C-alpha cells in the first residue's frame, strides 16, 4: 500500500473543515444519555449465560485478611501480589461465574486482544507460559486468568456469582464489613476494589427496542445456543438468518467478518466508522519473542510501555501498529512528548496525524470494491479521537454480496426498532436477529456510579466526600477517611493502551501498602495534606487536551461529544514515569501514610 505524503497547509485546512462537518453530522443532544444500562428494563442482556442455576450456599460472616472486589485481571493480580507478600486469607468476590472479568464475559466470535499477547498477558514470567499467538484469542486469555488464579491458590476463598452491595468501615474493630447480594456480611482488614473499567455492558436507548420479536443479545453475552458454532466460527444456526449488528467499534470489527462467513445476510448499522489498521496476526514461538531467559516478559512489556508512553527506547521489541503510531497517542495518554515550543509541536503533530489518517483512508479505498461503501467506511477525524482498531478481515467482508453497510450518521443513529426490524432513514431492514456490539460503560465502576456505596469513618460515603471538589486520593489508590481501602483503576492514576500492565503495577503497589501496614501494625490512610499535594502535582502540568477532544467526533473518549475537561485526571508525564515515581515513593515515603491503630480493649 502506498503511504500518502505529508499534507500541505491547504490540505490541512480542508481536512479541518471536513472533520468539523463530519462531527456535526453525528452530535446528538442527549450525549451519553443515548445509552441505557443493561440491568434497567432489559435485565436479560446482563444475565450470565455461562452458568446454570447458581448453587445456594449459607451466607458468610467470617473474617479475612484482604477482600478484593472484582475477579478480572485487576482482582486476580491483586490477589497474586498479596499472596507474594504472605497474606493468607485473600477473598475475591466476583459477579461472574469464574475469574476473567471482561474475558469471562466476552466470548463472541473472532475475539482477540489488540495488544500483543506477550505484553498483554500478565505474570508470564511467574507462570512460565508463552502465548501461542501474537494477538491471543479470547479463550487463551481467559485460560491464562484461570492459570494465575490456580497458581496463587485464589479459588478456595473466592465467591463467584456474587455481587458486593456495600462496604462499611467499622471503627471499633477497625475492619471493613463487606455485604453482598447473597446475604454475606463478612469482615476484612483490607479491601481492594478492582471493579474494572469495562464491567457494565451498555445498550443504545433506541425507541421500540423492547418490541423486537426476533432474537437479540449483547456481544458480551453471546448466545451460541442460537447461533451455533464457537468463537472460532461455524455459526451454522445463522445460515438462513438476517442479522443486524449495531456498533462498529473494537468488538464489531471482530464480530462482523465472522458473521459474514455464516449468516444469510448481515446488515451493519454504523454511526461512525472506526480506524482499522493492519493486524497481521500469526502464531509465535518462544524464540520469536526472546522467551529464553528469566524476566523476558517484563523486559518486553517495559519496552512496550516506554514506547507508547513517549519514552526513548533503543529497540522496539514489539514493532506493531501501536508502537509505530505511538507519537499520535499524546492527546489520549499524557506523556513527556509535550516539550518545546507548543505551536511548533502542535503543527508537527497535526501533520503527522493527517498523514496517518490519510494512510488509513487509502487502505479503505484499496480494499473495498464498491466506491460508495468505501467512502462511508472512511474515518474523518483525528487519530486519537477514537480507539484505534486492527483487522485484516473487516474491510474485505464488505466485498461480500451478503453484507450491507447502513450508515446512520444523518439520522443520528437508528431511528427506531419495530417488531420485525430496524428503521433508518424511513427504510425498514427486516431482521431475524439483532446483535448489540455496543460495548461497556467505560470507566464507570460500581463505586463511581454509586451502585456500590462505600462508607468510611463516621459513616461518610465516598461519593459524597468527592461530590464538591471531585475525587481526592493519594496516587489514585487511597483516601483520607477511608482507612485500609485501596482502589485500583484510572482515577488520578496512570493509563496506557496496555491496561493489564497498569493493573499489575497497581497490584504491586497495593500489596506493598498492605505489607507495610502489616509490618508496622498500622492502618493505611493518607492525610488531607498528602491528598492536596497530589492533586496539586496532577494539576500543575496537566495537559491541555480539552480543545482537541471538543473537536472530535462523538464517542466515549469525549463523553459522546460533550467534551473531555482538563484537570487532575492522571499523572501528567506518562505511565512509565508514574511507575518509576511509585517505586521511589515506596522506598522513601511509604511510612508517611501509615497511621497507628486504636488500641483494642480487652
Amino acid at each position: 500500500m502506498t503511504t500518502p505524503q505529508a499534507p500541505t497547509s491547504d490540505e490541512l485546512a480542508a481536512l479541518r473543515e471536513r472533520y468539523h462537518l463530519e462531527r456535526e453530522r453525528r452530535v446528538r443532544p442527549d450525549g451519553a444519555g443515548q445509552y441505557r444500562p443493561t440491568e434497567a428494563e432489559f435485565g436479560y442482556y446482563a444475565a450470565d449465560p455461562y452458568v446454570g442455576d447458581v448453587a445456594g450456599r449459607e451466607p458468610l460472616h467470617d473474617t479475612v485478611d484482604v477482600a478484593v472486589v472484582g475477579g478480572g485481571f485487576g482482582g486476580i493480580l491483586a490477589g497474586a501480589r498479596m499472596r507474594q507478600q504472605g497474606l493468607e486469607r485473600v477473598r475475591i468476590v466476583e459477579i461472574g461465574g469464574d475469574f476473567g472479568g471482561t474475558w469471562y464475559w466476552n466470548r463472541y466470535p473472532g475475539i482477540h486482544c489488540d495488544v500483543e499477547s506477550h505484553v498483554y498477558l500478565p505474570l508470564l514470567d511467574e507462570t512460565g507460559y508463552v502465548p501461542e499467538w501474537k494477538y491471543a484469542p479470547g479463550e487463551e486469555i481467559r485460560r491464562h486468568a484461570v492459570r494465575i488464579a490456580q497458581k496463587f491458590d485464589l479459588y478456595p476463598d473466592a465467591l463467584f456469582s456474587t455481587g458486593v452491595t456495600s462496604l462499611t468501615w467499622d471503627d471499633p474493630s477497625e475492619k471493613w464489613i463487606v455485604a453482598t447480594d447473597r446475604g454475606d456480611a463478612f469482615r476484612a482488614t483490607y479491601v481492594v476494589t478492582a471493579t474494572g473499567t469495562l464491567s457494565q455492558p451498555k445498550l443504545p436507548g433506541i425507541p421500540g427496542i423492547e418490541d423486537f420479536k426476533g432474537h437479540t443479545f449483547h456481544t458480551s453475552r453471546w448466545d451460541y445456543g442460537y447461533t451455533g458454532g464457537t468463537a472460532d466460527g461455524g455459526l451454522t444456526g445463522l445460515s438462513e438468518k438476517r442479522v443486524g449488528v449495531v456498533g462498529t467499534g473494537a468488538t464489531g470489527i471482530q464480530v462482523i467478518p465472522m458473521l459474514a462467513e455464516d449468516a444469510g445476510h448481515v446488515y451493519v448499522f454504523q454511526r461512525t466508522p472506526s480506524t482499522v489498521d493492519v493486524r497481521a496476526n500469526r502464531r509465535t514461538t518462544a524464540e520469536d519473542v526472546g522467551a529464553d531467559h528469566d524476566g523476558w516478559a517484563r523486559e518486553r512489556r517495559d519496552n512496550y510501555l516506554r514506547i507508547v508512553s513517549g519514552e526513548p527506547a533503543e529497540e522496539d521489541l514489539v514493532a506493531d501498529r501501536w508502537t509505530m503510531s505511538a507519537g499520535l497517542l499524546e492527546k489520549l495518554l499524557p506523556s513527556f512528548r509535550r516539550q518545546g515550543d507548543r505551536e511548533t509541536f502542535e503543527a508537527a503533530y497535526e501533520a503527522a496525524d493527517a498523514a496517518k489518517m490519510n494512510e488509513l483512508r487509502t487502505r479503505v479505498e484499496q480494499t473495498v470494491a464498491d466506491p460508495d461503501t468505501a467512502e462511508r467506511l472512511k474515518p474523518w477525524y483525528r487519530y486519537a479521537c477514537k480507539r484505534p482498531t486492527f483487522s485484516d478481515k473487516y474491510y474485505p467482508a464488505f466485498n461480500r454480496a451478503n453484507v450491507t453497510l447502513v450508515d446512520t450518521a444523518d439520522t443520528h443513529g437508528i431511528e427506531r426498532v419495530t417488531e420485525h426490524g430496524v428503521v433508518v432513514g424511513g427504510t425498514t431492514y427486516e431482521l431475524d436477529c439483532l446483535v448489540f456490539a455496543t460495548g461497556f460503560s467505560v470507566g464507570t465502576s460500581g463505586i463511581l456510579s454509586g451502585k456500590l456505596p462505600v462508607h468510611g469513618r463516621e459513616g461518610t460515603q465516598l461519593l459524597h466526600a468527592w461530590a464538591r471538589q471531585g475525587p481526592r486520593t493519594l496516587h489514585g489508590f487511597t483516601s483520607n477517611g477511608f482507612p485500609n481501602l485501596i482502589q485500583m483503576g484510572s482515577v488520578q492514576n496512570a493509563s496506557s493502551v496496555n491496561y493489564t500492565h497498569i493493573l499489575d503495577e497497581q497490584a504491586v503497589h497495593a500489596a506493598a501498602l498492605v505489607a507495610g501496614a502489616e509490618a508496622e501494625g498500622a492502618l493505611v490512610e493518607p492525610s488531607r495534606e498528602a491528598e492536596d499535594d497530589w492533586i496539586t502535582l496532577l494539576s500543575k502540568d496537566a495537559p491541555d487536551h480539552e480543545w482537541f477532544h471538543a473537536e472530535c467526533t462523538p464517542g466515549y473518549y469525549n463523553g459522546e461529544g460533550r467534551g473531555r475537561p482538563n484537570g487532575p485526571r492522571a499523572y501528567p508525564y506518562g505511565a512509565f514515569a508514574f511507575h518509576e515515581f511509585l517505586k521511589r515513593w515506596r522506598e522513601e515515603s511509604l511510612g508517611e501514610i501509615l497511621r497507628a491503630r486504636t488500641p483494642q480493649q480487652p
Side-chain angles (χ1 to χ4, degrees), residues 55 95 123 170 176 188 190 275 339 380 407 418 489 503 531 558:
I95 193 68
L123 300 185
D170 180 58
W176 285 95
Y190 307 91
T275 59
Q339 296 181 348
W380 293 99
D407 191 79
T418 70
L503 290 173
E531 291 178 336
N558 68 352

Side-chain angles (χ1 to χ4, degrees), residues 269-476:
F269 297 97
Q270 169 193 274
R271 183 181 64 167
T272 305
S274 289
T275 59
V276 186
D277 211 334
V278 173
R279 176 182 284 276
N281 198 12
R282 64 181 186 276
R283 285 193 176 276
T284 55
T285 65
E287 183 180 9
D288 292 337
V289 295
D292 57 356
H293 61 281
D294 292 340
W296 71 272
R298 172 165 287 279
E299 291 172 10
R300 194 173 183 88
R301 73 174 189 172
D302 283 349
N303 172 266
Y304 183 86
L305 188 65
R306 273 186 175 276
I307 293 170
V308 297
S309 297
E311 300 275 356
E314 294 182 0
E315 182 183 6
D316 182 353
L317 295 177
V318 172
D320 66 1
R321 296 296 168 135
W322 278 114
T323 58
M324 292 177 191
S325 303
L328 298 178
L329 299 175
E330 192 275 333
K331 299 300 182 190
L332 181 61
L333 303 169
S335 72
F336 278 107
R337 296 189 184 94
R338 308 180 313 277
Q339 296 181 348
D341 176 71
R342 175 169 177 171
E343 185 175 342
T344 301
F345 170 82
E346 293 294 352
Y349 184 90
E350 184 181 23
D353 186 299
K356 179 62 181 179
M357 293 302 293
N358 284 340
E359 172 193 321
L360 293 170
R361 288 186 286 266
T362 298
R363 185 180 189 224
V364 181
E365 290 180 354
Q366 295 180 346
T367 309
V368 179
D370 177 62
D372 180 62
T373 301
E375 189 61 34
R376 287 181 286 144
L377 285 168
K378 290 181 182 178
W380 293 99
Y381 46 81
R382 294 183 66 171
Y383 188 76
C385 283
K386 296 180 77 67
R387 182 178 176 86
T389 70
F390 307 87
S391 175
D392 298 327
K393 299 179 179 180
Y394 182 68
Y395 290 142
F398 290 94
N399 292 330
R400 301 176 63 109
N402 69 326
V403 177
T404 300
L405 177 66
V406 182
D407 191 79
T408 70
D410 291 322
T411 56
H412 300 291
I414 293 170
E415 294 170 53
R416 66 183 185 278
V417 177
T418 70
E419 290 186 0
H420 304 293
V422 166
V423 180
V424 177
T427 300
T428 299
Y429 297 87
E430 294 194 353
L431 303 172
D432 301 296
C433 178
L434 183 57
V435 179
F436 290 102
T438 45
F440 296 82
S441 297
V442 178
T444 307
S445 68
I447 292 175
L448 294 178
S449 68
K451 295 174 183 175
L452 173 53
V454 180
H455 296 274
R457 293 188 186 276
E458 300 178 355
T460 301
Q461 187 169 338
L462 184 65
L463 278 190
H464 293 169
W466 289 359
R468 180 173 298 180
Q469 295 178 305
R472 290 184 58 84
T473 73
L474 176 63
H475 307 149

Side-chain angles (χ1 to χ4, degrees), residues 189-208:
T189 307
Y190 307 91
V191 168
V192 178
T193 60
T195 52
T197 61
L198 297 173
S199 58
Q200 298 183 31
K202 65 183 182 182
L203 290 171
I206 304 170

Side-chain angles (χ1 to χ4, degrees), residues 118-174:
H118 307 91
V119 299
Y120 183 80
L121 295 184
L123 300 185
L124 292 177
D125 293 312
E126 292 82 351
T127 58
Y129 183 68
V130 181
E132 300 175 23
W133 291 85
K134 187 170 179 67
Y135 302 100
E139 182 60 15
E140 184 179 3
I141 300 170
R142 191 190 68 80
R143 288 200 309 267
H144 187 64
V146 171
R147 179 181 297 112
I148 296 171
Q150 290 173 335
K151 179 176 179 61
F152 290 94
D153 200 27
L154 299 178
Y155 274 97
D157 277 318
L159 299 179
F160 297 115
S161 300
T162 302
V164 175
T165 54
S166 68
L167 299 170
T168 306
W169 175 253
D170 180 58
D171 278 308
S173 66
E174 294 189 328

